[in-house]
Amino acid sequence: MYDYRYEPHRLIFMIDNKSFFASCEALRLGLNPMEACLAVVSRQPDSCWGSGLIMAASPLAKKKYGLHNVMRVRQLPPKWKAPDLKLVEPHMNLYIKRSIQVLDIFRKYAANEDIHMYSIDEGIIDMTDSWRLFGNDPYYVARRIQKDIHDTLGLYTTCGIGENPLLAKLAMDNSAKHKKSMLAFWHYLDVPDTIWKIEKLEDVWGINTRTANRLRKIGINNMYDLAHSKPYLLKKEFGIIGEQLLAESWGVDRSIIRQKYHPKSKSYGNSQVLTRDYFNQREIELVIREIGEQVAARIRAHNLRAGKVSLYIGFSLFQLAGTTKRGGFGVQRKITPTNINHDLVKELIALFRENWHRESVRTISVSYTDLSPDGTQQLNMLEDFDLQIKRYKLDHIVDQIRKEHGFTSLVKASSLLKGATAIERSNLVGGHNGGNAYE
């Protein structure tokens, strides 16, 4: 199907910090990450442990007690059945610091443009031009990087090696993680003995449960079936994604890490899943205001202003019978480009009031698009110029204070929602701990 002679033949390392959050916590407590029985639990302030969500678990905890991410603490075995299981709260600043330190180690082995941090605990390194500086064998060089990270930070890592990023990722996920050496090298010529042997479609990077179920409906049950399916059938069912799935089944990936993708349109946003259902308009608008101001601070930090605001409101799954047939609503509006909190939040609140019909709210998402450089602030001819300039300057002063002391260190009084205390605002939004920032 594919002639590998014409495909990129590079040397890619995909490196993953094993059980990263749990390992960082184990090391913080002076424990060996591979021998500690530990789970990192996220919970709302002043709530009971049973309502907490497991963010990460150490390898031993997973093996002994069957722990997995996103399960609830109340699902854990009782203390008398798991006396050695430690539950600890997350320390995100620590994880970010360790991730940066791992990146600094990567930079010792490759140029910055040949490194891509895939996530907080995974990185891809194109070693094509540099691996020979550190050894005569790719396995040796990979082991050297693993040892460097362990000796410096105490973290254990798995490494998949491949001739392209896809092969490296699949080698890491489906082979290296199951080896004592925590190393695996997949080549193009190994595809029949590696990728085609993967029985479960969901075990493949980029294939989620929904896509796997659609594939099964057309008779494709594993990666061998996918590799030998009719291209026109995949194209008919999935469009261009079908072509990508076929290429993946043959281990083909033509992306080059140093050729960074720059999207034509960028957006900044944040979403919040609330801890309970909200019916009170004042409380909901308070959360919208907090998220809107947080995203506004981010676009100001990049010297940008927004020409469009978008708001998504997701309703609770539990609705009184007959009250609504909607699962939520998403709306957007073009505005005069600005990055002033007052102007952006005013539009968000207006959108909410125009489209909300007293449904119970569980999810709120805000994003700003149509971004342009913040050269000179465009003033509204219908408002007082001095007042607009004061707002502009005040927002930047507040940004600086929050940058130095944390976002929740300063809570501004609301002109629209009077009487809200700092504690009330923090409890409603959860201090943004539960938010999902995206851009």
Side-chain angles (χ1 to χ4, degrees):
M1 181 68 70
Y2 288 91
D3 190 336
Y4 293 132
R5 292 177 298 174
Y6 303 106
E7 299 302 330
H9 291 265
R10 306 189 68 80
L11 187 70
I12 309 297
F13 289 4
M14 184 82 180
I15 299 177
D16 172 54
N17 291 284
K18 198 168 184 67
S19 300
F20 184 53
F21 290 0
S23 293
C24 290
E25 293 297 338
L27 291 165
R28 183 180 64 84
L29 297 172
L31 305 173
N32 186 321
M34 302 301 289
E35 298 174 358
C37 192
L38 178 147
V40 182
V41 177
S42 175
R43 64 190 178 104
Q44 289 297 318
D46 302 321
S47 65
C48 64
W49 275 100
S51 64
L53 195 69
I54 294 179
M55 297 175 60
S58 65
L60 184 59
K62 292 177 181 178
K63 184 178 180 181
K64 286 185 69 173
Y65 302 115
L67 272 61
H68 57 82
N69 295 353
V70 307
M71 71 184 294
R72 294 285 179 182
V73 173
R74 57 175 171 265
Q75 298 174 278
L76 296 177
K79 185 66 178 177
W80 63 271
K81 285 188 176 181
D84 58 338
L85 179 60
K86 297 180 184 293
L87 301 181
V88 298
E89 293 186 338
H91 297 83
M92 291 305 301
N93 287 337
L94 172 63
Y95 311 150
I96 294 170
K97 179 180 178 181
R98 293 289 179 263
S99 181
I100 293 172
Q101 289 173 326
V102 170
L103 175 58
D104 288 338
I105 293 174
F106 289 168
R107 288 173 174 148
K108 293 164 57 177
Y109 296 90
N112 210 46
E113 59 266 25
D114 289 327
I115 301 171
H116 174 69
M117 291 305 292
Y118 179 66
S119 65
I120 193 172
D121 61 342
E122 288 186 40
I124 309 174
I125 314 175
D126 189 337
M127 296 290 296
T128 307
D129 298 332
S130 61
W131 74 270
R132 291 180 180 83
L133 299 173
F134 306 99
N136 297 320
D137 184 270
Y139 279 102
Y140 172 83
V141 177
R143 172 63 69 196
R144 179 169 173 172
I145 297 175
Q146 286 180 317
K147 188 174 185 302
D148 197 347
I149 293 172
H150 179 265
D151 292 349
T152 305
L153 304 173
L155 297 168
Y156 290 86
T157 55
T158 55
C159 179
I161 309 172
E163 295 181 80
N164 60 44
L166 170 65
L167 287 170
K169 174 66 173 172
L170 295 178
M172 184 187 72
D173 287 344
N174 297 277
S175 182
K177 288 184 177 181
H178 308 294
K179 290 184 173 184
K180 287 187 177 180
S181 67
M182 294 188 281
L183 277 170
F185 194 162
W186 283 15
H187 301 264
Y188 286 119
L189 297 180
D190 296 327
V191 167
D193 297 315
T194 53
I195 298 179
W196 294 359
K197 297 294 184 181
I198 300 174
E199 289 294 325
K200 190 176 180 181
L201 292 167
E202 291 89 343
D203 288 341
V204 177
W205 183 41
I207 300 181
N208 56 28
T209 301
R210 182 179 178 184
T211 301
N213 289 335
R214 288 179 64 187
L215 287 167
R216 293 187 184 104
K217 286 181 180 179
I218 58 176
I220 299 173
N221 299 300
N222 52 54
M223 291 305 288
Y224 180 87
D225 292 344
L226 180 58
H228 296 83
S229 58
K230 302 292 185 182
Y232 74 86
L233 181 64
L234 291 171
K235 183 71 177 293
K236 179 181 178 181
E237 179 69 22
F238 296 95
I240 192 171
I241 300 299
E243 296 179 1
Q244 295 175 4
L245 290 170
L246 183 63
E248 185 170 6
S249 69
W250 285 81
V252 171
D253 179 4
R254 294 165 183 161
S255 59
I256 306 297
I257 292 173
R258 67 179 58 173
Q259 297 174 0
K260 307 293 183 184
Y261 171 70
H262 299 286
K264 293 182 179 179
S265 178
K266 189 178 181 68
S267 67
Y268 286 85
N270 200 358
S271 63
Q272 182 79 30
V273 179
L274 304 177
T275 56
R276 60 177 174 83
D277 297 345
Y278 279 80
F279 300 87
N280 185 287
Q281 179 177 346
R282 179 174 176 274
E283 293 180 339
I284 298 168
E285 291 182 355
L286 192 57
V287 181
I288 294 173
R289 174 177 294 275
E290 284 288 344
I291 298 175
E293 289 182 358
Q294 188 189 57
V295 181
R298 291 170 60 201
I299 66 171
R300 285 194 296 271
H302 289 81
N303 295 313
L304 297 170
R305 55 185 181 175
K308 182 186 292 183
V309 299
S310 300
L311 174 70
Y312 171 76
I313 300 293
F315 300 149
S316 166
L317 293 177
F318 176 75
Q319 292 281 349
L320 295 176
T323 58
T324 183
K325 294 182 180 179
R326 301 189 298 171
F329 63 84
V331 287
Q332 57 186 21
R333 174 175 293 167
K334 281 188 171 292
I335 62 172
T336 301
T338 183
N339 56 23
I340 296 177
N341 284 347
H342 173 272
D343 299 341
L344 293 167
V345 170
K346 181 176 70 174
E347 297 294 344
L348 292 171
I349 297 297
L351 286 171
F352 173 70
R353 292 179 177 177
E354 291 168 8
N355 294 276
W356 182 59
H357 306 310
R358 302 291 172 182
E359 297 93 344
S360 60
V361 173
R362 196 60 181 263
T363 305
I364 298 175
S365 179
V366 169
S367 66
Y368 300 146
T369 53
D370 286 0
L371 303 174
S372 58
D374 180 26
T376 56
Q377 183 66 30
Q378 187 170 343
L379 301 179
N380 188 335
M381 299 294 293
L382 301 179
E383 288 193 17
D384 182 86
F385 286 177
D386 289 337
L387 178 60
Q388 293 179 70
I389 293 172
K390 287 179 181 178
R391 286 171 179 162
Y392 181 76
K393 292 181 178 179
L394 178 61
D395 286 342
H396 283 79
I397 294 171
V398 170
D399 290 345
Q400 186 61 37
I401 295 173
R402 284 173 166 169
K403 182 179 179 180
E404 294 178 5
H405 303 286
F407 188 85
T408 57
S409 62
L410 182 62
V411 180
K412 295 192 298 180
S414 169
S415 60
L416 179 64
L417 303 168
K418 296 180 180 179
T421 66
I423 294 176
E424 180 184 12
R425 292 165 73 98
S426 180
N427 287 341
L428 283 173
V429 189
H432 294 282
N433 289 333
N436 175 30
Y438 56 89
E439 57 180 78

